[in-house]
Amino acid sequence: MKILVTGGAGFIGSNFVYHMLAKYPGYRIVCLDKLTYAGNLSTLESALKNPNFKFVKGDIADKEAVDKLFKEENFDIVVNFAAESHVDRSIENPELFLVTNILGTQTLLDACNRYGVKRYHQVSTDEVYGDLPLDRPDLLFTEQTPLHTSSPYSASKASADLLVQAYYRTYGTPITISRCSNNYGPYHFPEKLIPLMISRALADESLPVYGDGKNVRDWLYVEDHCKAIDLIIHNGRVGEVYNIGGHNEMSNIDIVKLILQYLGKPESLITYVTDRKGHDRRYAIDPAKIHAELGWLPETKFADGIKKTIQWYLDNKKWWQDIINGEYKNYYEKMYGNR
Ligand code: NAD
Ligand code: TYD
């Protein structure tokens, strides 16, 4: 089996590469990644030593490069993780999100049709469903929930999902889509909530909480997401959407306080800052379909996953300090300087 993993130098893609190499020693895994600010080759250091793994630097929206790679490799399965993934950046510069997340998806779908790929899997997000109210805990996102996006990021992901479904209907492209809730775990880029708070708390720096801190996200350990995608690409029904989430809703402020508690740092580091524009209030996934059809259930409880994650950031300081000390410094100043 030959699998193309796009965006494999990023957070979830790299965890997926390691999951697949460990579980399927007979598979060949090729990673196509543009190495944007979010992609990091050092993340794939161990994978690069595996003869079954190959890294190719390139853009999923570059038709010629994609065509050349598909011609050379004859992939059985394509799993598309590559995306611009940060909501705050999409508010500053939407265009890049449309190019990578929509046109990049179209470029990959066209190549799948041209070269007869047996499965194209689109890694999507629960953010395509918009948000839920805080006072209705009974409401969850199902696969039937209408798409209703808030940010340029989520709009670009929803557009890509519609395109993937259109290719299934129009050309019969063998697709599946998964929509997962917020992930956490190793190799999470330190601009996102959990790694940002861990890295700043360790440096005794202020922790910027948006708005009232009561926004709720449904957190899933990244390995559980990878296992769900593994099940979908092997056993999922073509043309279907699968929601992935572990019924683990937490408010941002509770997460930040938990991190401070584990690190033995004071709550006085918490600083409430101006809210994100269009900030989604609550996400919550109903994963009943993937459980019933594929037997998937999350294995890592949040209490264990967050401890493992914090320990990983303590053990791998060089990985995130290299990022924080680079171009990222300017980003932090620009995004948070006057907030
Ligand atoms: P990430 O930002 O950590 O990684 C994205 C990767 O894609 C990077 O390695 C980057 O270099 C690469 N990339 C960006 N543009 C590219 C292009 N044009 N061509 C090739 N490579 C390109 O993102 P992530 O958090 O790992 O998310 C991966 C996927 O999962 C995304 O599609 C995202 O929408 C989705 N998702 C993420 C979460 C989450 O909590 N992080 C939850 C649900 C779904
Ligand atoms: P984030 O990790 O950006 O993921 P997403 O917006 O895709 O869910 O943010 C998670 C939550 O944390 C979201 O409600 C915004 C909030 N947040 C902060 O309060 N402060 C921060 O510095 C960041 C990056 C996020």
Side-chain angles (χ1 to χ4, degrees), residues 86-88 127 182 191-193 196-197 208-210 215 217 219 252 276 279-280 283 336:
H86 193 35
V87 173
D88 293 331
E127 301 194 27
N182 285 59
E191 68 185 351
K192 305 281 171 65
L193 180 78
L196 180 92
M197 297 301 168
V209 172
Y210 297 168
N215 301 64
R217 297 293 183 263
W219 294 93
N252 296 338
R276 171 186 280 171
H279 197 176
D280 281 337
Y283 302 143
Y336 295 83

PDB file of all heavy atoms in Angstrom, residues 86-88 127 182 191-193 196-197 208-210 215 217 219 252 276 279-280 283 336, ligand 2:
ATOM      1  N   HIS A  86      -4.608  28.160  11.260  1.00  0.00           N
ATOM      2  CA  HIS A  86      -4.816  28.991  12.451  1.00  0.00           C
ATOM      3  C   HIS A  86      -5.855  30.089  12.211  1.00  0.00           C
ATOM      4  O   HIS A  86      -5.649  30.971  11.359  1.00  0.00           O
ATOM      5  CB  HIS A  86      -3.484  29.588  12.897  1.00  0.00           C
ATOM      6  CG  HIS A  86      -3.543  30.201  14.272  1.00  0.00           C
ATOM      7  ND1 HIS A  86      -4.317  29.696  15.289  1.00  0.00           N
ATOM      8  CD2 HIS A  86      -2.938  31.287  14.789  1.00  0.00           C
ATOM      9  CE1 HIS A  86      -4.168  30.438  16.373  1.00  0.00           C
ATOM     10  NE2 HIS A  86      -3.344  31.414  16.095  1.00  0.00           N
ATOM     11  N   VAL A  87      -6.935  30.057  12.973  1.00  0.00           N
ATOM     12  CA  VAL A  87      -8.053  31.004  12.809  1.00  0.00           C
ATOM     13  C   VAL A  87      -7.565  32.458  12.863  1.00  0.00           C
ATOM     14  O   VAL A  87      -7.936  33.284  12.026  1.00  0.00           O
ATOM     15  CB  VAL A  87      -9.123  30.750  13.904  1.00  0.00           C
ATOM     16  CG1 VAL A  87     -10.197  31.831  13.860  1.00  0.00           C
ATOM     17  CG2 VAL A  87      -9.731  29.367  13.750  1.00  0.00           C
ATOM     18  N   ASP A  88      -6.712  32.779  13.843  1.00  0.00           N
ATOM     19  CA  ASP A  88      -6.255  34.176  13.986  1.00  0.00           C
ATOM     20  C   ASP A  88      -5.521  34.654  12.734  1.00  0.00           C
ATOM     21  O   ASP A  88      -5.680  35.794  12.312  1.00  0.00           O
ATOM     22  CB  ASP A  88      -5.338  34.314  15.211  1.00  0.00           C
ATOM     23  CG  ASP A  88      -6.097  34.097  16.511  1.00  0.00           C
ATOM     24  OD1 ASP A  88      -7.304  34.385  16.550  1.00  0.00           O
ATOM     25  OD2 ASP A  88      -5.491  33.624  17.488  1.00  0.00           O
ATOM     26  N   GLU A 127     -15.137  22.874  12.886  1.00  0.00           N
ATOM     27  CA  GLU A 127     -15.414  24.313  12.751  1.00  0.00           C
ATOM     28  C   GLU A 127     -16.306  24.616  11.545  1.00  0.00           C
ATOM     29  O   GLU A 127     -16.872  25.695  11.451  1.00  0.00           O
ATOM     30  CB  GLU A 127     -14.101  25.108  12.700  1.00  0.00           C
ATOM     31  CG  GLU A 127     -13.292  24.880  13.955  1.00  0.00           C
ATOM     32  CD  GLU A 127     -12.142  25.849  14.172  1.00  0.00           C
ATOM     33  OE1 GLU A 127     -12.195  26.986  13.701  1.00  0.00           O
ATOM     34  OE2 GLU A 127     -11.176  25.437  14.851  1.00  0.00           O
ATOM     35  N   ASN A 182     -11.029  19.834  18.375  1.00  0.00           N
ATOM     36  CA  ASN A 182      -9.669  20.332  18.663  1.00  0.00           C
ATOM     37  C   ASN A 182      -8.750  19.219  19.160  1.00  0.00           C
ATOM     38  O   ASN A 182      -9.107  18.484  20.077  1.00  0.00           O
ATOM     39  CB  ASN A 182      -9.718  21.406  19.753  1.00  0.00           C
ATOM     40  CG  ASN A 182     -10.250  22.724  19.234  1.00  0.00           C
ATOM     41  OD1 ASN A 182     -11.367  22.793  18.751  1.00  0.00           O
ATOM     42  ND2 ASN A 182      -9.451  23.765  19.323  1.00  0.00           N
ATOM     43  N   GLU A 191       1.552  28.397  18.592  1.00  0.00           N
ATOM     44  CA  GLU A 191       0.621  29.522  18.452  1.00  0.00           C
ATOM     45  C   GLU A 191      -0.788  29.116  18.910  1.00  0.00           C
ATOM     46  O   GLU A 191      -1.644  29.975  19.102  1.00  0.00           O
ATOM     47  CB  GLU A 191       0.550  29.977  16.984  1.00  0.00           C
ATOM     48  CG  GLU A 191      -0.112  28.963  16.066  1.00  0.00           C
ATOM     49  CD  GLU A 191      -0.084  29.335  14.592  1.00  0.00           C
ATOM     50  OE1 GLU A 191       0.300  30.460  14.249  1.00  0.00           O
ATOM     51  OE2 GLU A 191      -0.426  28.457  13.779  1.00  0.00           O
ATOM     52  N   LYS A 192      -1.032  27.807  19.060  1.00  0.00           N
ATOM     53  CA  LYS A 192      -2.365  27.321  19.430  1.00  0.00           C
ATOM     54  C   LYS A 192      -2.501  27.275  20.950  1.00  0.00           C
ATOM     55  O   LYS A 192      -1.495  27.202  21.672  1.00  0.00           O
ATOM     56  CB  LYS A 192      -2.593  25.921  18.828  1.00  0.00           C
ATOM     57  CG  LYS A 192      -2.395  25.855  17.318  1.00  0.00           C
ATOM     58  CD  LYS A 192      -3.582  26.388  16.547  1.00  0.00           C
ATOM     59  CE  LYS A 192      -3.328  26.529  15.059  1.00  0.00           C
ATOM     60  NZ  LYS A 192      -3.091  25.303  14.338  1.00  0.00           N
ATOM     61  N   LEU A 193      -3.745  27.278  21.446  1.00  0.00           N
ATOM     62  CA  LEU A 193      -3.983  27.525  22.875  1.00  0.00           C
ATOM     63  C   LEU A 193      -3.095  26.705  23.830  1.00  0.00           C
ATOM     64  O   LEU A 193      -2.361  27.289  24.639  1.00  0.00           O
ATOM     65  CB  LEU A 193      -5.460  27.269  23.220  1.00  0.00           C
ATOM     66  CG  LEU A 193      -5.768  27.498  24.692  1.00  0.00           C
ATOM     67  CD1 LEU A 193      -5.892  28.980  25.021  1.00  0.00           C
ATOM     68  CD2 LEU A 193      -7.054  26.774  25.112  1.00  0.00           C
ATOM     69  N   LEU A 196       0.756  27.131  23.451  1.00  0.00           N
ATOM     70  CA  LEU A 196       1.094  28.542  23.735  1.00  0.00           C
ATOM     71  C   LEU A 196       1.121  28.769  25.249  1.00  0.00           C
ATOM     72  O   LEU A 196       2.053  29.383  25.790  1.00  0.00           O
ATOM     73  CB  LEU A 196       0.060  29.479  23.090  1.00  0.00           C
ATOM     74  CG  LEU A 196       0.304  30.969  23.317  1.00  0.00           C
ATOM     75  CD1 LEU A 196       1.142  31.558  22.187  1.00  0.00           C
ATOM     76  CD2 LEU A 196      -0.989  31.756  23.414  1.00  0.00           C
ATOM     77  N   MET A 197       0.110  28.240  25.940  1.00  0.00           N
ATOM     78  CA  MET A 197       0.018  28.463  27.381  1.00  0.00           C
ATOM     79  C   MET A 197       1.129  27.702  28.122  1.00  0.00           C
ATOM     80  O   MET A 197       1.703  28.209  29.090  1.00  0.00           O
ATOM     81  CB  MET A 197      -1.371  28.042  27.900  1.00  0.00           C
ATOM     82  CG  MET A 197      -2.504  28.854  27.301  1.00  0.00           C
ATOM     83  SD  MET A 197      -2.341  30.647  27.626  1.00  0.00           S
ATOM     84  CE  MET A 197      -3.564  31.340  26.514  1.00  0.00           C
ATOM     85  N   PRO A 208      -2.357  35.064  27.471  1.00  0.00           N
ATOM     86  CA  PRO A 208      -3.443  35.859  26.884  1.00  0.00           C
ATOM     87  C   PRO A 208      -4.718  35.043  26.653  1.00  0.00           C
ATOM     88  O   PRO A 208      -4.784  34.235  25.732  1.00  0.00           O
ATOM     89  CB  PRO A 208      -2.852  36.324  25.546  1.00  0.00           C
ATOM     90  CG  PRO A 208      -1.844  35.275  25.195  1.00  0.00           C
ATOM     91  CD  PRO A 208      -1.334  34.685  26.474  1.00  0.00           C
ATOM     92  N   VAL A 209      -5.728  35.249  27.495  1.00  0.00           N
ATOM     93  CA  VAL A 209      -7.008  34.556  27.344  1.00  0.00           C
ATOM     94  C   VAL A 209      -7.977  35.500  26.630  1.00  0.00           C
ATOM     95  O   VAL A 209      -8.193  36.626  27.080  1.00  0.00           O
ATOM     96  CB  VAL A 209      -7.550  34.122  28.726  1.00  0.00           C
ATOM     97  CG1 VAL A 209      -8.969  33.571  28.607  1.00  0.00           C
ATOM     98  CG2 VAL A 209      -6.615  33.088  29.349  1.00  0.00           C
ATOM     99  N   TYR A 210      -8.563  35.025  25.525  1.00  0.00           N
ATOM    100  CA  TYR A 210      -9.450  35.880  24.732  1.00  0.00           C
ATOM    101  C   TYR A 210     -10.809  36.044  25.427  1.00  0.00           C
ATOM    102  O   TYR A 210     -11.395  35.061  25.907  1.00  0.00           O
ATOM    103  CB  TYR A 210      -9.704  35.271  23.349  1.00  0.00           C
ATOM    104  CG  TYR A 210      -8.502  35.105  22.452  1.00  0.00           C
ATOM    105  CD1 TYR A 210      -8.594  34.331  21.294  1.00  0.00           C
ATOM    106  CD2 TYR A 210      -7.278  35.710  22.732  1.00  0.00           C
ATOM    107  CE1 TYR A 210      -7.509  34.161  20.442  1.00  0.00           C
ATOM    108  CE2 TYR A 210      -6.192  35.548  21.880  1.00  0.00           C
ATOM    109  CZ  TYR A 210      -6.309  34.767  20.746  1.00  0.00           C
ATOM    110  OH  TYR A 210      -5.244  34.594  19.902  1.00  0.00           O
ATOM    111  N   ASN A 215     -15.245  30.334  26.349  1.00  0.00           N
ATOM    112  CA  ASN A 215     -15.481  29.576  25.111  1.00  0.00           C
ATOM    113  C   ASN A 215     -15.095  28.120  25.349  1.00  0.00           C
ATOM    114  O   ASN A 215     -14.109  27.833  26.031  1.00  0.00           O
ATOM    115  CB  ASN A 215     -14.644  30.155  23.962  1.00  0.00           C
ATOM    116  CG  ASN A 215     -14.994  31.606  23.721  1.00  0.00           C
ATOM    117  OD1 ASN A 215     -14.776  32.442  24.594  1.00  0.00           O
ATOM    118  ND2 ASN A 215     -15.558  31.903  22.575  1.00  0.00           N
ATOM    119  N   ARG A 217     -14.194  24.245  23.900  1.00  0.00           N
ATOM    120  CA  ARG A 217     -13.715  23.391  22.817  1.00  0.00           C
ATOM    121  C   ARG A 217     -13.800  21.941  23.299  1.00  0.00           C
ATOM    122  O   ARG A 217     -13.758  21.670  24.504  1.00  0.00           O
ATOM    123  CB  ARG A 217     -12.257  23.736  22.448  1.00  0.00           C
ATOM    124  CG  ARG A 217     -12.068  25.168  21.911  1.00  0.00           C
ATOM    125  CD  ARG A 217     -12.748  25.334  20.573  1.00  0.00           C
ATOM    126  NE  ARG A 217     -12.578  26.645  19.952  1.00  0.00           N
ATOM    127  CZ  ARG A 217     -13.474  27.634  20.026  1.00  0.00           C
ATOM    128  NH1 ARG A 217     -14.574  27.497  20.743  1.00  0.00           N
ATOM    129  NH2 ARG A 217     -13.266  28.767  19.375  1.00  0.00           N
ATOM    130  N   TRP A 219     -11.885  18.653  23.343  1.00  0.00           N
ATOM    131  CA  TRP A 219     -10.482  18.282  23.102  1.00  0.00           C
ATOM    132  C   TRP A 219     -10.279  16.782  22.912  1.00  0.00           C
ATOM    133  O   TRP A 219     -10.820  15.973  23.666  1.00  0.00           O
ATOM    134  CB  TRP A 219      -9.605  18.782  24.253  1.00  0.00           C
ATOM    135  CG  TRP A 219      -9.577  20.282  24.295  1.00  0.00           C
ATOM    136  CD1 TRP A 219     -10.395  21.103  25.030  1.00  0.00           C
ATOM    137  CD2 TRP A 219      -8.728  21.149  23.521  1.00  0.00           C
ATOM    138  NE1 TRP A 219     -10.095  22.426  24.763  1.00  0.00           N
ATOM    139  CE2 TRP A 219      -9.084  22.478  23.848  1.00  0.00           C
ATOM    140  CE3 TRP A 219      -7.709  20.939  22.584  1.00  0.00           C
ATOM    141  CZ2 TRP A 219      -8.456  23.588  23.281  1.00  0.00           C
ATOM    142  CZ3 TRP A 219      -7.084  22.041  22.019  1.00  0.00           C
ATOM    143  CH2 TRP A 219      -7.457  23.341  22.372  1.00  0.00           C
ATOM    144  N   ASN A 252     -11.875  27.409  27.889  1.00  0.00           N
ATOM    145  CA  ASN A 252     -10.466  27.810  27.757  1.00  0.00           C
ATOM    146  C   ASN A 252      -9.854  28.138  29.112  1.00  0.00           C
ATOM    147  O   ASN A 252      -8.728  27.736  29.407  1.00  0.00           O
ATOM    148  CB  ASN A 252     -10.362  29.030  26.842  1.00  0.00           C
ATOM    149  CG  ASN A 252     -10.805  28.720  25.434  1.00  0.00           C
ATOM    150  OD1 ASN A 252     -10.804  27.553  25.018  1.00  0.00           O
ATOM    151  ND2 ASN A 252     -11.197  29.734  24.686  1.00  0.00           N
ATOM    152  N   ARG A 276     -11.253  37.461  20.165  1.00  0.00           N
ATOM    153  CA  ARG A 276     -11.062  37.184  18.737  1.00  0.00           C
ATOM    154  C   ARG A 276     -12.321  37.657  17.991  1.00  0.00           C
ATOM    155  O   ARG A 276     -13.432  37.470  18.480  1.00  0.00           O
ATOM    156  CB  ARG A 276     -10.865  35.679  18.571  1.00  0.00           C
ATOM    157  CG  ARG A 276     -10.863  35.175  17.161  1.00  0.00           C
ATOM    158  CD  ARG A 276     -10.816  33.655  17.113  1.00  0.00           C
ATOM    159  NE  ARG A 276      -9.475  33.117  17.314  1.00  0.00           N
ATOM    160  CZ  ARG A 276      -9.211  31.822  17.494  1.00  0.00           C
ATOM    161  NH1 ARG A 276     -10.174  30.946  17.515  1.00  0.00           N
ATOM    162  NH2 ARG A 276      -7.968  31.404  17.663  1.00  0.00           N
ATOM    163  N   HIS A 279     -15.542  35.158  17.310  1.00  0.00           N
ATOM    164  CA  HIS A 279     -15.107  34.010  18.121  1.00  0.00           C
ATOM    165  C   HIS A 279     -16.226  32.982  18.350  1.00  0.00           C
ATOM    166  O   HIS A 279     -17.238  33.293  18.986  1.00  0.00           O
ATOM    167  CB  HIS A 279     -14.612  34.552  19.474  1.00  0.00           C
ATOM    168  CG  HIS A 279     -13.784  33.588  20.246  1.00  0.00           C
ATOM    169  ND1 HIS A 279     -13.190  33.925  21.440  1.00  0.00           N
ATOM    170  CD2 HIS A 279     -13.437  32.303  20.014  1.00  0.00           C
ATOM    171  CE1 HIS A 279     -12.513  32.891  21.889  1.00  0.00           C
ATOM    172  NE2 HIS A 279     -12.661  31.899  21.045  1.00  0.00           N
ATOM    173  N   ASP A 280     -16.030  31.765  17.876  1.00  0.00           N
ATOM    174  CA  ASP A 280     -17.011  30.697  18.085  1.00  0.00           C
ATOM    175  C   ASP A 280     -17.119  30.375  19.567  1.00  0.00           C
ATOM    176  O   ASP A 280     -16.103  30.217  20.258  1.00  0.00           O
ATOM    177  CB  ASP A 280     -16.591  29.431  17.317  1.00  0.00           C
ATOM    178  CG  ASP A 280     -16.932  29.516  15.829  1.00  0.00           C
ATOM    179  OD1 ASP A 280     -17.836  30.296  15.463  1.00  0.00           O
ATOM    180  OD2 ASP A 280     -16.289  28.802  15.042  1.00  0.00           O
ATOM    181  N   TYR A 283     -17.838  24.328  20.623  1.00  0.00           N
ATOM    182  CA  TYR A 283     -17.860  23.211  19.673  1.00  0.00           C
ATOM    183  C   TYR A 283     -18.111  21.945  20.474  1.00  0.00           C
ATOM    184  O   TYR A 283     -17.548  21.784  21.576  1.00  0.00           O
ATOM    185  CB  TYR A 283     -16.501  23.018  18.972  1.00  0.00           C
ATOM    186  CG  TYR A 283     -15.967  24.193  18.190  1.00  0.00           C
ATOM    187  CD1 TYR A 283     -14.600  24.455  18.179  1.00  0.00           C
ATOM    188  CD2 TYR A 283     -16.799  25.011  17.426  1.00  0.00           C
ATOM    189  CE1 TYR A 283     -14.070  25.516  17.452  1.00  0.00           C
ATOM    190  CE2 TYR A 283     -16.269  26.067  16.689  1.00  0.00           C
ATOM    191  CZ  TYR A 283     -14.909  26.314  16.705  1.00  0.00           C
ATOM    192  OH  TYR A 283     -14.391  27.344  15.981  1.00  0.00           O
ATOM    193  N   TYR A 336      -0.385  40.091  19.405  1.00  0.00           N
ATOM    194  CA  TYR A 336      -0.758  40.319  20.804  1.00  0.00           C
ATOM    195  C   TYR A 336      -0.274  41.655  21.345  1.00  0.00           C
ATOM    196  O   TYR A 336      -0.683  42.048  22.436  1.00  0.00           O
ATOM    197  CB  TYR A 336      -0.214  39.189  21.689  1.00  0.00           C
ATOM    198  CG  TYR A 336      -0.805  37.823  21.405  1.00  0.00           C
ATOM    199  CD1 TYR A 336      -0.308  37.025  20.383  1.00  0.00           C
ATOM    200  CD2 TYR A 336      -1.866  37.332  22.163  1.00  0.00           C
ATOM    201  CE1 TYR A 336      -0.850  35.763  20.127  1.00  0.00           C
ATOM    202  CE2 TYR A 336      -2.416  36.074  21.921  1.00  0.00           C
ATOM    203  CZ  TYR A 336      -1.895  35.302  20.899  1.00  0.00           C
ATOM    204  OH  TYR A 336      -2.437  34.064  20.652  1.00  0.00           O
TER     205      TYR A 336
HETATM  206  P1  TYD B   2      -6.993  27.680  19.003  1.00  0.00           P
HETATM  207  O1  TYD B   2      -5.973  26.806  19.644  1.00  0.00           O
HETATM  208  O2  TYD B   2      -6.546  28.794  18.118  1.00  0.00           O
HETATM  209  O3  TYD B   2      -8.002  26.704  18.225  1.00  0.00           O
HETATM  210  P2  TYD B   2      -9.434  27.044  17.527  1.00  0.00           P
HETATM  211  O4  TYD B   2      -9.675  28.483  17.510  1.00  0.00           O
HETATM  212  O5  TYD B   2      -9.241  26.503  16.146  1.00  0.00           O
HETATM  213  O6  TYD B   2     -10.452  26.295  18.329  1.00  0.00           O
HETATM  214  O7  TYD B   2      -7.883  28.315  20.146  1.00  0.00           O
HETATM  215  C1  TYD B   2      -8.597  27.502  21.067  1.00  0.00           C
HETATM  216  C2  TYD B   2      -9.423  28.417  21.942  1.00  0.00           C
HETATM  217  O8  TYD B   2      -8.521  29.191  22.755  1.00  0.00           O
HETATM  218  C3  TYD B   2     -10.252  29.423  21.171  1.00  0.00           C
HETATM  219  O9  TYD B   2     -11.493  29.615  21.852  1.00  0.00           O
HETATM  220  C4  TYD B   2      -9.436  30.705  21.222  1.00  0.00           C
HETATM  221  C5  TYD B   2      -8.720  30.600  22.552  1.00  0.00           C
HETATM  222  N1  TYD B   2      -7.385  31.253  22.617  1.00  0.00           N
HETATM  223  C6  TYD B   2      -7.098  32.148  23.647  1.00  0.00           C
HETATM  224  O10 TYD B   2      -7.932  32.436  24.526  1.00  0.00           O
HETATM  225  N2  TYD B   2      -5.850  32.725  23.686  1.00  0.00           N
HETATM  226  C7  TYD B   2      -4.896  32.462  22.734  1.00  0.00           C
HETATM  227  O11 TYD B   2      -3.784  33.060  22.808  1.00  0.00           O
HETATM  228  C8  TYD B   2      -5.205  31.522  21.698  1.00  0.00           C
HETATM  229  C9  TYD B   2      -4.199  31.194  20.639  1.00  0.00           C
HETATM  230  C10 TYD B   2      -6.469  30.942  21.687  1.00  0.00           C
END
